[in-house]
């Protein structure tokens, strides 16, 4: 992210009205999205592509679930925990969701402090986000272990359609991978913020480019996306 | 009409982007091997794609030998035929054409044509190539795996793709294929994000989207489509991999395999078809749109005439791109879907003919009364138009449900798609190589070898694929290694098959002349100079040929006009380069702090 935005173009040329103006804006000089850096644009477009991946996964899951001729396991029972002598439905997943959504909150605060160039707070909040993310993955591992010990496999489970296990492991696994990658990058960026790489213009080890505070915000985009996807997975998998 | 304003100079805004922080290589390795320069990456992509494409070409010879002279070649068993066919199709479509148009031409032309120093994230761009190479190596590895590569057909339809009756179905063949595709998609995404962001956010001053050469429009739109279509293939591959490797049943219904009930249960093969074709149809246009774009530029340059209806051309490209996402099930008319679906998809399919026809009319109108130079790129461009129209016409047959059903899975389909997405884009690839090779190497390709290559390829392609339509119409099915004594097949089919094989081998050997030319001309070609075709676009206005690291000199060019100012009345030459401020320098209207007053770009408000 070596480039800097030198402010918006001073468009002295009159814009045509209506649809033509709309198009003229979009196709305007040098950059289509004014004031949006390369890194941010790239992340947005990547997320769009990733949306299609998750979309295909979820649609396939829905197709499988709607077309199966054997019963689908009841999520409230399957995902319940036996705590304090009673069965509480969806309790684990509720906590997981809470943790992940909270991590979105800390991430947003980190971005805010990043804008203010508050190195310490930015780094700490990013670390906190990473810890929450790691907690989420940890709980997911626990959930997987529990289900596996109860006999859920990609090819069978004790309660009904075999696709239950395979779609569950595949989709939550793919999402969990996203979270894990996010945690790793959070740690990397937090370290850079902490060391002040973005002030000193330290060059990246791989890219040999100077980093920018903006990485915090780009990281935030990714992280919020991963959370948003989780909301859909939660709704379609656990609440349906 | 569009953007031919002579006073464009006074509208040039100051730079919105600072100078790019380029990586300057220090060693031979980082300069030529692990290079972050898009031009080197482009050549690496193209070289790899051509090399693996050669494998696909050889496979097509083997198939043709079997079809023309069944029973003569012992080593071409039915299993081997299926494997050749599958690998041929997959390599041609994905590892050759997609990689060559987007990774090869995209990398080379986008930064140069939009006036950028490089792609926006050169490091990611470099990774893209290495992952692509890895994907190709995994693909090649499947040839040497026990049981050989998969023979499931390039569509990889389950259930057969992962059952024991299919070559490679239970061995490593299919697994390697799926892994290779997944790698390809990851690698492509890295490159694709670069291409898109470079076009959207990295243009030089004055280069509005509506001044982009159509080549960039084609590659750009195709890349956007690929970023949205490949996810479906990715998901399909992941799920099939799980079905094969860990026993899930996404696509596998309960089925009896070799007399035994398979462990699978309850999956849906049709779901795979939907996912595959949601990728597969846009893929056709991912290959076609760059070809459309490039051919527009070739025609305009070599007919010394501005492209007819530039705006329409842009909208047609974008419209085709959008529409191609809602036609996928025309590949599934025989899958037993609801007739209303068939109706819907037939309608959308035929609607695509509208923007496509607009493009063809515009190409023809560009040629109309142009100063046509029959250079080799022009010859290939003309061949493209003819071939594409041909393939489009048979597409009308196949797009209609009732006509398609009897033609489905016959050689007619094979002939059709070879015309539209085989021969036609390949013609553009050749035309583009002859056109831009001088920029890449500083030398022209040999003219006589080129003409020989063109005529043999062009005429040969028709000799191969025209008879194939007939063979299909009389009912010869596709994917059959031999026809035996089937009663309904007339003897003429056998004669034609021999004829086609001879033609295919001839065309194949003509490609060796082309390859030889590529290497020979690096040293012995005619010196090309900076702008041998006297073209307007920025890549011909670079500080040297081949362009140096960073593409342009100290200052990035400033763009004053669209890419098609050919034969402008009153202009001193028959072309005006995009970065030529034009009459404004000769005491034209006063410019507001614009660079044009100094007769050269950018003195003030230049890149910081
Ligand atoms: C010299 C040029 C070529 C020849 C002689 C040739 C020949 C063949 C033959 C004989 C088949 C098998 C037909 C069957 O038995 O069903 C085939 C299939 C195919 N070819 Fe080509 N081909 C050529 C170029 C190309 C190109 C440039 C493409 C790029 C799009 C291509 C894409 C395909 C595809 C997608 C299939 C279908 C494979 C399948 O059925 O799974 N071919 N080709
Ligand atoms: Cu299609």
């Amino acid at each position: 992210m070596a480039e800097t935005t030198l402010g918006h173009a001073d468009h002295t040329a009159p814009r045509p009205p209506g649809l033509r103006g709309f198009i003229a804006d979009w196709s305007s000089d040098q950059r289509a999205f004014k004031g949006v850096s390369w890194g941010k644009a790239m992340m947005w477009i990547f997320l769009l592509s990733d949306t299609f991946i998750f979309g295909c996964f979820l649609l396939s899951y829905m197709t499988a679930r709607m077309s199966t001729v054997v019963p689908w396991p009841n999520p409230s029972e399957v995902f319940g925990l036996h705590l304090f002598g009673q069965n509480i439905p969806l309790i684990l997943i509720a906590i997981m969701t809470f943790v992940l959504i909270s991590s979105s909150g800390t991430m947003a605060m980190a971005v805010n402090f990043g804008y203010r160039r508050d190195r310490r707070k930015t780094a700490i909040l990013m670390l906190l986000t990473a810890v929450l993310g790691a907690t989420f993955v940890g709980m997911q591992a626990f959930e997987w272990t529990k289900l596996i010990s109860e006999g859920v496999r990609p090819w069978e489970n004790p309660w009904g359609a075999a696709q239950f296990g395979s779609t569950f492991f595949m989709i939550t696994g793919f999402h969990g991978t996203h979270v894990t990658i996010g945690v790793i990058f959070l740690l990397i960026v937090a370290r850079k913020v902490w060391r002040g790489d973005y002030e000193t213009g330290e060059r990246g080890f791989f890219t040999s480019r100077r980093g920018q505070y903006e990485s915090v915000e780009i990281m935030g985009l990714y992280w919020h996306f991963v959370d948003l996807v989780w909301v859909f997975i939660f709704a379609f998998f656990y609440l349906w | 009409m569009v953007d031919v304003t002579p006073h464009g100079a006074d509208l040039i805004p100051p730079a919105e982007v600072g100078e790019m922080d380029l990586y300057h290589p220090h060693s031979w390795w980082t300069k030529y091997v692990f290079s972050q320069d898009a031009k080197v990456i482009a050549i690496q992509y193209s070289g790899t794609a051509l090399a693996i494409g050669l494998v696909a070409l050889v496979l097509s010879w083997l198939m043709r030998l079997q079809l023309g002279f069944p029973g003569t070649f012992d080593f071409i068993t039915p299993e081997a035929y299926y494997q050749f066919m599958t690998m041929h199709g997959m390599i041609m479509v994905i590892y050759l054409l997609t990689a060559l148009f987007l990774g090869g031409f995209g990398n080379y032309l986008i930064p140069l044509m939009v006036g950028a120093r490089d792609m926006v994230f050169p490091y990611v761009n470099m990774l893209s190539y290495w992952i692509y190479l890895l994907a190709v190596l995994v693909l090649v590895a499947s040839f040497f795996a026990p049981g050989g590569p998969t023979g499931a057909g390039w569509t990889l339809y389950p259930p057969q793709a992962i059952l024991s009756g299919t070559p490679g179905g239970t061995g490593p063949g299919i697994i390697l294929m799926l892994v290779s595709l997944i790698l390809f998609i990851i690698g492509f995404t890295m490159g694709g994000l670069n291409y898109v962001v470079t076009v959207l956010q990295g243009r030089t001053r004055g280069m509005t989207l509506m001044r982009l050469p159509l080549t960039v429009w084609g590659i750009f739109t195709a890349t956007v489509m690929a970023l949205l279509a490949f996810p479906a293939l990715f998901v399909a591959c992941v799920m099939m991999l799980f079905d094969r490797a860990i026993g899930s049943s996404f696509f596998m219904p309960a089925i009896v395999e070799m007399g035994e009930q398979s462990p699978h249960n309850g999956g849906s093969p049709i779901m795979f078809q939907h996912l595959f074709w949601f990728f597969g149809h846009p893929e056709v246009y991912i290959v076609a749109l760059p070809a459309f774009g490039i051919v527009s530029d070739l025609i305009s340059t070599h007919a010394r005439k501005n492209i007819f209806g530039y705006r329409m051309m842009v909208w047609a490209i974008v419209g085709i791109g959008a529409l191609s996402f809602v036609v996928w099930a025309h590949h599934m008319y025989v899958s037993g879907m609801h007739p209303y679906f068939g109706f819907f998809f037939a309608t959308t399919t035929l609607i695509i003919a509208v923007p496509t026809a607009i493009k063809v009319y515009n190409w023809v109108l560009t040629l109309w009364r142009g100063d046509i130079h029959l250079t080799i790129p022009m010859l290939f461009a003309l061949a493209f138009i003819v071939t594409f129209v041909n393939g489009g016409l048979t597409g009308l047959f196949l797009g209609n449900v009732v006509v398609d059903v009897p033609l489905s899975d016959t050689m007619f389909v094979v002939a059709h798609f070879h015309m539209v997405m085989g021969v036609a884009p390949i013609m553009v690839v050749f035309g583009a190589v002859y056109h831009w090779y001088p920029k890449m190497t500083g030398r022209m390709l040999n003219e006589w070898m080129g003409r020989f290559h063109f005529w043999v390829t062009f005429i040969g392609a028709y000799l191969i694929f025209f008879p194939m339509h007939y063979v299909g119409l009389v009912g010869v099915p596709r994917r059959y290694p031999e026809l035996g004594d089937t009663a309904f097949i007339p003897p003429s089919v056998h004669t034609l098959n021999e004829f086609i094989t001879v033609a295919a081998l001839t065309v194949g050997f003509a490609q060796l002349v082309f390859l030889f030319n590529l290497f020979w001309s690096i040293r012995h070609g005619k010196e090309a100079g900076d702008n041998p075709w006297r073209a307007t676009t920025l890549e011909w206005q670079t500080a040297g040929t081949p362009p140096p690291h960073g593409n342009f000199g100290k200052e990035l060019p400033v763009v004053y006009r669209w890419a098609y100012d050919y034969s402008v009345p009153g202009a001193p030459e028959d072309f005006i380069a995009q970065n030529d401020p034009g009459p404004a320098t000769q005491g034209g209207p006063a410019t507001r702090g614009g660079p044009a007053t100094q007769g050269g770009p950018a003195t003030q408000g230049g890149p910081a």
Side-chain angles (χ1 to χ4, degrees):
Chain A
M1 282 131 275
E3 30 108 45
T4 37
T5 306
L6 302 183
H8 299 246
D10 158 35
H11 289 292
T12 35
R15 284 259 174 270
L19 193 61
R20 280 182 168 273
F22 176 78
I23 290 160
D25 260 354
W26 260 77
S27 65
S28 68
D29 195 35
Q30 299 172 59
R31 34 181 64 194
F33 307 106
K34 299 293 169 195
V36 176
S37 72
W38 291 343
K40 235 192 261 180
M42 193 161 193
M43 183 51 90
W44 273 111
I45 296 167
F46 167 71
L47 294 180
L48 186 66
S49 183
D50 213 16
T51 306
F52 270 62
I53 294 195
F54 277 108
C56 289
F57 271 131
L58 284 172
L59 280 170
S60 306
Y61 149 72
M62 290 180 219
T63 313
R65 180 159 176 176
M66 287 192 304
S67 61
T68 178
V69 288
V70 282
W72 194 262
N74 179 350
S76 343
E77 287 165 19
V78 175
F79 298 116
L81 279 189
H82 194 73
L83 285 180
F84 315 116
Q86 48 187 334
N87 284 319
I88 311 175
L90 295 178
I91 177 71
L92 178 64
I93 210 65
I95 300 174
M96 278 168 70
T97 308
F98 179 75
V99 168
L100 200 62
I101 303 283
S102 311
S103 78
S104 253
T106 53
M107 186 71 232
M109 286 162 72
V111 173
N112 186 351
F113 283 110
Y115 265 111
R116 301 183 200 185
R117 300 291 183 265
D118 188 334
R119 263 174 43 204
R120 240 173 72 87
K121 287 198 179 122
T122 311
I124 290 176
L125 281 163
M126 288 188 88
L127 276 181
L128 192 60
T129 313
V131 169
L132 289 172
T135 315
F136 175 88
V137 178
M139 288 194 286
Q140 196 161 53
F142 171 77
E143 187 185 36
W144 277 41
T145 321
K146 173 174 169 289
L147 287 175
I148 291 171
S149 71
E150 287 169 353
V152 182
R153 297 287 184 277
W155 56 91
E156 65 176 8
N157 64 69
W159 312 293
Q163 280 73 21
F164 171 79
S166 44
T167 44
F168 174 78
F169 288 126
M170 182 176 71
I171 294 178
T172 57
F174 197 68
H175 178 265
T177 312
H178 273 71
V179 179
T180 312
I181 293 172
V183 168
I184 293 169
F185 275 92
L186 275 170
L187 293 177
I188 294 174
V189 176
R191 176 158 171 272
K192 291 191 175 212
V193 172
W194 185 264
R195 282 203 315 203
D197 284 6
Y198 298 144
E199 268 92 359
T200 55
E202 185 76 21
R203 285 181 180 273
F205 178 72
F206 286 112
T207 60
S208 71
R209 279 191 170 187
R210 292 203 173 82
Q212 280 192 337
Y213 256 105
E214 201 193 38
S215 308
V216 180
E217 196 181 347
I218 294 173
M219 201 48 238
L221 285 177
Y222 176 80
W223 195 256
H224 295 314
F225 170 79
V226 172
D227 281 7
L228 183 68
V229 168
W230 177 252
V231 173
F232 281 92
I233 296 176
F234 178 66
F236 286 124
F237 222 102
Y238 297 85
L239 300 184
W240 178 359
Chain B
M1 216 186 60
V2 191
D3 257 347
V4 269
T5 157
H7 318 313
D10 51 345
L11 295 179
I12 301 303
E16 292 173 43
V17 186
E19 260 302 330
M20 192 171 167
D21 184 4
L22 274 190
Y23 173 76
H24 296 284
H26 306 293
S27 69
W28 186 84
W29 282 97
T30 45
K31 192 160 178 202
Y32 294 110
V33 182
F34 296 100
S35 171
Q36 301 192 17
D37 188 321
K39 295 186 293 301
V40 179
I41 297 173
I43 289 168
Q44 292 172 326
Y45 249 115
S46 312
T48 314
L50 286 179
I52 191 73
L54 207 58
V55 174
L57 182 68
V58 172
L59 292 175
S60 81
W61 299 347
L62 294 175
M63 281 189 294
R64 276 320 316 179
L65 283 175
Q66 166 66 20
L67 289 177
F69 311 99
T72 320
F73 302 93
D74 289 339
F75 68 99
I76 311 181
T77 55
E79 286 76 21
Y81 183 88
Y82 293 139
Q83 292 171 322
F84 297 164
M85 178 191 83
T86 306
M87 296 319 252
H88 162 80
M90 196 64 101
I91 292 175
M92 284 290 188
V93 175
I94 296 193
Y95 298 86
L96 172 68
L97 285 179
T98 309
L100 192 57
F101 271 127
L102 304 183
F105 290 119
N107 264 317
Y108 203 88
L109 295 176
I110 290 176
L112 281 167
M113 284 189 154
V114 306
R117 297 229 178 263
D118 207 322
M119 287 289 178
V120 288
F121 291 102
Y123 181 75
V124 182
N125 204 20
M126 175 181 85
L127 282 186
S128 161
Y129 168 71
W130 290 101
I131 298 179
Y132 164 66
L133 182 64
L134 187 64
V136 170
L137 291 179
V138 172
L139 186 84
V140 171
S142 77
F143 281 100
F144 302 101
T150 172
W154 89 283
T155 46
L156 305 178
Y157 275 9
Q160 51 91 18
I162 57 176
L163 292 180
S164 48
T166 305
T170 45
I174 182 76
I175 294 188
L176 289 173
M177 179 81 253
L178 295 170
V179 169
S180 170
L181 283 173
I182 290 173
L183 286 171
F184 180 90
I185 295 168
I186 295 173
F188 169 77
T189 305
M190 295 183 158
L193 291 171
N194 255 309
Y195 317 152
V196 172
V197 178
T198 306
V199 173
L200 283 179
Q201 303 292 88
R203 283 165 280 135
T204 188
R205 285 185 291 158
M207 183 61 94
T208 65
L209 284 183
M210 280 304 182
R211 282 176 178 175
L212 285 178
L214 286 168
T215 299
V216 179
W217 265 110
I219 297 176
F220 168 72
T221 315
T223 311
V224 174
M225 290 170 62
L227 287 173
L228 303 180
F230 273 123
L233 181 67
F234 179 88
V235 167
C237 286
V238 169
M239 297 208 292
M240 183 129 79
L241 198 57
F242 286 168
D243 278 7
R244 169 73 266 150
I246 60 174
S248 61
S249 303
F250 292 110
F251 302 135
M252 298 298 284
I255 202 167
V256 174
E257 180 189 11
M258 300 285 176
E260 267 180 63
Q261 168 92 36
S262 92
H264 296 288
N265 199 350
S268 161
I270 297 292
M271 189 162 83
F272 177 88
Q273 297 190 12
H274 280 295
L275 286 171
F276 183 85
W277 288 114
F278 185 79
F279 145 78
H281 187 83
E283 169 64 26
V284 176
Y285 285 95
I286 291 166
V287 175
L289 290 185
F292 288 177
I294 290 173
V295 110
S296 311
D297 284 358
L298 295 188
I299 285 183
S300 178
T301 307
H302 295 272
R304 316 307 297 167
K305 206 166 150 239
N306 64 329
I307 193 82
F308 186 91
Y310 173 82
R311 249 167 217 279
M312 240 193 287
M313 292 300 246
V314 171
W315 285 115
I317 288 181
V318 175
I320 292 172
L323 277 173
S324 67
F325 277 92
V326 289
V327 300
W328 77 88
H330 63 207
H331 296 274
M332 298 164 59
Y333 287 153
V334 292
S335 70
M337 64 185 179
H338 195 285
Y340 281 154
F341 276 178
F343 174 72
F344 173 81
F345 283 104
T347 312
T348 50
T349 301
L350 297 183
I351 290 177
I352 289 205
V354 176
T356 315
I358 290 182
K359 295 197 74 74
V360 175
Y361 286 128
N362 284 354
W363 288 324
V364 175
L365 286 167
T366 305
L367 289 169
W368 182 254
R369 309 190 64 184
D371 175 12
I372 299 176
H373 293 51
L374 286 179
T375 55
I376 301 172
M378 181 59 138
L379 289 174
F380 276 109
L382 295 175
F384 164 83
I385 299 179
V386 177
T387 311
F388 192 74
V389 169
N390 248 306
L393 289 178
T394 49
L396 292 180
F397 291 73
L398 297 172
N400 282 294
V401 187
V402 282
V403 191
D404 175 69
V405 169
L407 288 176
S408 218
D409 276 323
T410 64
M411 286 312 257
F412 188 84
V413 176
V414 176
H416 156 73
F417 70 67
H418 275 91
M419 277 292 186
V420 269
M421 79 172 306
V423 180
I426 289 280
M427 291 291 164
V428 179
V429 167
F430 289 141
V433 170
Y434 283 97
H435 185 76
W436 278 295
Y437 184 90
K439 182 65 11 182
M440 296 183 176
T441 61
R443 290 182 187 264
M444 312 290 283
L445 280 165
N446 179 282
E447 180 81 13
W448 293 110
M449 278 193 253
R451 288 191 184 267
F452 173 78
H453 173 224
F454 169 75
W455 287 108
V456 177
T457 309
F458 178 60
I459 297 178
Y462 276 76
L463 295 183
I464 299 171
F465 294 110
F466 246 39
M468 218 184 260
H469 288 90
Y470 164 76
V471 171
L473 277 176
V474 297
V476 175
R478 80 188 264 209
R479 294 179 173 169
Y480 270 46
E482 74 192 272
L483 301 170
D485 300 321
T486 321
F488 71 87
I489 292 174
S492 60
V493 165
H494 301 292
T495 323
L496 275 180
N497 262 339
E498 289 178 19
F499 175 79
I500 296 175
T501 298
V502 174
L505 292 178
T506 316
V507 170
F509 284 110
Q511 309 317 307
L512 300 184
V513 175
F514 170 66
L515 281 184
F516 175 75
N517 197 355
L518 283 184
F519 289 105
W520 188 82
S521 299
I522 293 182
R523 284 183 177 279
H524 307 287
K526 216 168 65 194
E527 289 277 356
D530 279 342
N531 192 357
W533 308 115
R534 300 153 51 73
T536 57
T537 40
L538 292 180
E539 81 273 22
W540 302 105
Q541 329 298 335
T542 50
T545 301
H549 188 54
N551 292 348
F552 300 96
K554 249 189 149 55
E555 302 275 355
L556 284 174
V558 177
V559 169
Y560 298 94
R561 58 191 67 248
W562 70 338
Y564 300 99
D565 269 345
Y566 289 104
S567 309
V568 179
E573 290 206 69
D574 76 338
F575 74 102
I576 312 178
Q578 281 194 279
N579 59 346
D580 184 339
T585 36
Q586 280 99 46
T591 50
R592 215 175 318 123
T597 34
Q598 273 80 34
T603 35
Q604 165 238 16

